[in-house]
Amino acid sequence: MTDKDQGLTVKLPTGWIAVLLLLLPLVVLARDEPTLVITGNASDAVTDNLRALINLKGYNCQPPKAQYGLIRRQILKNAREGLQAMGFYEGQFDLHADMSGSCAKVFLDVQTGPPVIISEVDIRLRGEADQDPHFRRLVSEHELRVGERLQHDKYTRLKRNLQQSLINRGYMEGSLTHHRLNVDTQRHTASILLEVESGPRYHFGNVEVTGSSLNARLIDAYVQFEEGQPYDSKRVLETQQAYLGAGYFSAARIEKGTVDTETRTIPISITLSDSHRWSLLTGIGFSTDTGPRVRLGIENRRVNSHGHRFRAETQLSEVEQGAGASYQIPLSDPLRERLDLHTSYINEDTESNTNERWMTGADYIVEMNNKWVSTLSLEYLRETWQIADEVDQAELVMPGYQLSRIKANDPVYPTFGWRLSGKLRVAHQGLSSTASFAQFTPSGKLLFPLLGGRILTRLDLGYTEINDISELPASLRFFAGGDSSIRGFGYESLGPEDDKGDVIGGRHMATGSLEYDHPITEKWHVAVFTDAGNAFNDIEDYELRHSAGAGIRWRSPLGPIRLDLARAIDENRNWRVHLSMGPDL
């Protein structure tokens, strides 16, 4: 599959809709262990903790009577530990079982008793850690508050964070000299003492990099720290991730050398393994929008010692055939700055248009400190197209600029995140172009949690300033409809029409989507959605088209796969099935 969304759109007779709905996966959760029922006055959080500790999965549905005493003792032991971990030291339990059904039911009534309240929290920092912003933040933001109920996991987490921070931030002589949690069960109070003796903070020493054929300047550019800087394991991890994400190396091993206690430095050794120079690129897929799709290509990851890359590939489908090549040059900061030279040929034949285009250009790409990606481009396009009865050719020189950013709390399945992008490109007849125009294409997507599921919203806009739409090539006109546009309509089936009713594309576009996705298992989700929008030439002619539908989602190892059933809600159209694959953002 390509790294773009794939789509499948099939017209279905209305009579098949009920059959499809019946074929949606039904999840049956079989119970093959005793059921635990917890009653009493414990809060939801306490009950959840008890369930996590009282594990009945190891027992049969109908345990032998000889095991009853063992099971009872184990349940009560785990229940008592679970209550104490949540700050309840005088809990009362009533345990009985119902063995009459096919699988035993265990009833545990819990009366928590009075909670233990934190009366004192004393955290002391000695040594250079006392002036370290990281340690000061740990102390000021900890969750152990006087007057609140004691929770052992919060105490354990703070203690672990203090100990781990000493290691991660180079306090090689530091230790947690005192850690004490005293619980007074008579007064139902708890006092906490944590004392850190950090000693001096060590610094990065000599950095040695071996194992790669690339030149030293390029290799050193991936190191995220310098000799003499305060030691920070986060910088070491970022360096390893930078090497592995560069595409040049199959492995990057980073080790600390022998610590020098006199100079208080930590030498670093980095051993790299170059990946294979040549790689084969293959991919297959299917889409009714484009037909069966095959991709085949080659890539040279290291054209020379400066890290230049070359890629050539061809992609064939029923409606689109093309080939292209690109040459990438890393610049002064190879992690964030590069120059891409590219050329491509594409022959496309859809229901709305036929076009043959050749494009070549260059992109200067920079990832800025605020994580936004800036792309300055210059492209040459030569295109011949036919839309309805219109046949024409254009040659355009197009300077452009794009700004984009993606932020998510998980790269595979985010529960919160957003994507913003905006691209501007222009052409002018005074700059060797057959037409003058300016085109702006902003888009955005927002994803956030709601009611145990996720809300996904999308907005795609397009604006073109041009005197005569017929001068604009087919690939630069706007069409709507399809898997990633307005589901329930065919691929590029919406937009301005000529006198014969043929869709000819428009100057502008506005489409959007609102979707709710809810998990039914860890890997399977159900979704409902509505899409709306259209392509148009003038705002007074904008005709909003709507669709709605439902679908299922499978979180495959390759990314989310979506199967949707959608239909236009403002006119009489057949239902359509849409199959798509690709990241949520």
Side-chain angles (χ1 to χ4, degrees):
M1 305 287 282
T2 67
D3 55 3
K4 296 182 178 179
D5 285 2
Q6 306 297 314
L8 172 63
T9 305
V10 180
K11 291 185 178 180
L12 294 175
T14 304
W16 284 94
I17 302 306
V19 177
L20 278 174
L21 294 175
L22 289 174
L23 291 177
L24 290 177
L26 299 176
V27 179
V28 179
L29 299 177
R31 294 191 176 274
D32 55 359
E33 71 273 346
T35 302
L36 176 65
V37 179
I38 298 178
T39 59
N41 67 348
S43 66
D44 291 343
V46 174
T47 300
D48 290 342
N49 190 56
L50 292 174
R51 289 188 181 278
L53 289 176
I54 303 173
N55 186 1
L56 301 180
K57 291 184 178 179
Y59 300 105
N60 297 326
C61 270
Q62 294 287 354
K65 290 185 177 181
Q67 290 187 355
Y68 286 3
L70 173 64
I71 295 173
R72 178 182 180 85
R73 288 192 298 273
Q74 190 65 46
I75 291 176
L76 291 176
K77 176 179 178 292
N78 291 341
R80 189 169 295 106
E81 292 175 353
L83 270 192
Q84 290 181 359
M86 301 298 288
F88 298 96
Y89 277 71
E90 295 185 4
Q92 300 294 322
F93 306 99
D94 181 22
L95 178 66
H96 69 277
D98 180 0
M99 312 297 291
S100 60
S102 60
C103 205
K105 287 186 178 180
V106 178
F107 295 88
L108 178 65
D109 184 77
V110 179
Q111 300 300 320
T112 61
V116 172
I117 302 300
I118 299 174
S119 61
E120 181 184 10
V121 178
D122 187 4
I123 305 175
R124 305 170 186 173
L125 298 177
R126 306 190 189 281
E128 291 187 14
D130 184 43
Q131 302 301 319
D132 189 327
H134 175 80
F135 278 89
R136 286 183 169 271
R137 187 165 56 253
L138 282 179
V139 172
S140 64
E141 296 179 358
H142 69 79
E143 301 173 292
L144 299 169
R145 301 300 179 189
V146 173
E148 294 186 358
R149 173 169 52 88
L150 170 67
Q151 296 186 54
H152 284 239
D153 62 323
K154 295 180 179 180
Y155 168 75
T156 302
R157 183 159 55 245
L158 177 58
K159 185 173 71 171
R160 183 177 61 247
N161 288 342
L162 290 170
Q163 292 172 319
Q164 192 64 46
S165 294
L166 289 170
I167 299 172
N168 291 344
R169 297 183 66 78
Y171 294 94
M172 307 306 295
E173 303 171 15
S175 64
L176 189 61
T177 54
H178 293 91
H179 49 91
R180 187 169 64 243
L181 170 60
N182 291 329
V183 176
D184 187 335
T185 57
Q186 298 297 321
R187 298 181 179 180
H188 306 113
T189 60
S191 62
I192 295 169
L193 170 64
L194 293 167
E195 183 175 281
V196 173
E197 182 63 58
S198 71
R201 186 176 183 183
Y202 282 46
H203 294 69
F204 285 108
N206 179 59
V207 182
E208 183 182 8
V209 185
T210 59
S212 176
S213 61
L214 295 174
N215 68 47
R217 175 182 168 276
L218 179 63
I219 291 296
D220 292 343
Y222 289 97
V223 180
Q224 302 298 296
F225 53 85
E226 296 179 2
E227 184 177 348
Q229 287 183 334
Y231 181 84
D232 190 341
S233 63
K234 180 181 178 182
R235 297 292 187 184
V236 176
L237 179 60
E238 289 174 349
T239 299
Q240 185 178 44
Q241 292 174 337
Y243 279 122
L244 295 177
Y248 299 120
F249 314 105
S250 59
R253 188 174 69 254
I254 303 181
E255 297 177 328
K256 292 188 292 186
T258 303
V259 175
D260 189 330
T261 56
E262 292 186 4
T263 61
R264 293 173 179 168
T265 58
I266 305 173
I268 300 295
S269 172
I270 303 175
T271 305
L272 303 173
S273 298
D274 287 341
S275 57
H276 294 295
R277 183 183 298 270
W278 289 94
S279 66
L280 180 65
L281 309 173
T282 60
I284 59 174
F286 179 82
S287 162
T288 303
D289 289 346
T290 59
R293 179 174 298 184
V294 178
R295 183 183 64 149
L296 182 64
I298 57 171
E299 181 181 25
N300 186 332
R301 298 188 179 99
R302 298 186 309 280
V303 175
N304 52 37
S305 64
H306 299 286
H308 294 196
R309 292 181 179 140
F310 171 76
R311 171 185 289 198
E313 61 182 307
T314 182
Q315 185 165 286
L316 305 175
S317 69
E318 183 179 339
V319 301
E320 183 179 285
Q321 306 83 42
S326 64
Y327 191 89
Q328 295 183 4
I329 304 172
L331 299 177
S332 58
D333 185 352
L335 266 178
R336 300 176 179 84
E337 186 181 17
R338 73 176 188 268
L339 180 65
D340 283 6
L341 309 175
H342 53 85
T343 185
S344 63
Y345 167 82
I346 296 176
N347 182 51
E348 185 178 20
D349 186 0
T350 70
E351 292 184 5
S352 59
N353 72 88
T354 300
N355 68 81
E356 182 181 15
R357 58 187 186 269
W358 176 66
M359 178 180 287
T360 188
D363 297 334
Y364 172 60
I365 303 171
V366 179
E367 181 182 326
M368 299 180 288
N369 292 333
N370 57 10
K371 302 302 182 180
W372 285 85
V373 177
S374 168
T375 303
L376 188 64
S377 62
L378 180 63
E379 296 175 312
Y380 169 77
L381 171 66
R382 179 184 177 90
E383 180 171 340
T384 302
W385 74 90
Q386 178 176 354
I387 300 178
D389 296 330
E390 172 193 344
V391 179
D392 209 341
Q393 184 181 81
E395 290 188 49
L396 302 172
V397 176
M398 298 179 292
Y401 180 73
Q402 181 173 355
L403 193 63
S404 63
R405 185 181 176 188
I406 297 176
K407 184 175 182 179
N409 59 3
D410 186 275
V412 179
Y413 181 74
T415 54
F416 177 81
W418 51 267
R419 181 200 68 199
L420 287 174
S421 176
K423 183 174 183 179
L424 174 67
R425 53 185 169 186
V426 299
H428 195 275
Q429 289 177 328
L431 296 175
S432 302
S433 296
T434 55
S436 297
F437 74 91
Q439 188 173 80
F440 181 50
T441 52
S443 66
K445 199 166 188 179
L446 174 64
L447 186 155
F448 58 90
L450 181 68
L451 301 177
R454 304 182 302 166
I455 291 287
L456 298 91
T457 61
R458 169 181 55 85
L459 180 64
D460 296 305
L461 303 174
Y463 175 84
T464 309
E465 184 64 41
I466 190 171
N467 293 327
D468 186 356
I469 185 64
S470 65
E471 296 180 351
L472 198 65
S475 64
L476 298 181
R477 299 188 193 184
F478 293 111
F479 300 85
D483 310 316
S484 58
S485 177
I486 307 176
R487 288 161 288 190
F489 294 89
Y491 177 59
E492 294 190 350
S493 63
L494 298 177
E497 301 176 353
D498 63 9
D499 295 337
K500 297 180 180 179
D502 295 323
V503 177
I504 59 174
R507 292 185 178 93
H508 319 304
M509 179 192 68
T511 63
S513 177
L514 177 63
E515 180 173 317
Y516 178 69
D517 170 315
H518 192 86
I520 53 176
T521 69
E522 182 181 357
K523 297 294 184 181
W524 290 92
H525 299 240
V526 294
V528 292
F529 59 86
T530 180
D531 299 340
N534 208 338
F536 57 100
N537 282 323
D538 300 293
I539 189 63
E540 57 267 20
D541 298 326
Y542 184 55
E543 183 181 358
L544 193 66
R545 312 299 286 273
H546 300 80
S547 69
I552 57 176
R553 310 284 182 261
W554 177 44
R555 292 168 57 185
S556 78
L558 300 178
I561 296 178
R562 310 172 189 86
L563 177 64
D564 292 323
L565 185 65
R567 184 181 183 184
I569 59 177
D570 49 5
E571 57 185 278
N572 185 20
R573 284 179 177 254
N574 291 327
W575 288 86
R576 302 182 74 93
V577 172
H578 297 268
L579 177 65
S580 63
M581 175 181 177
D584 291 317
L585 294 175

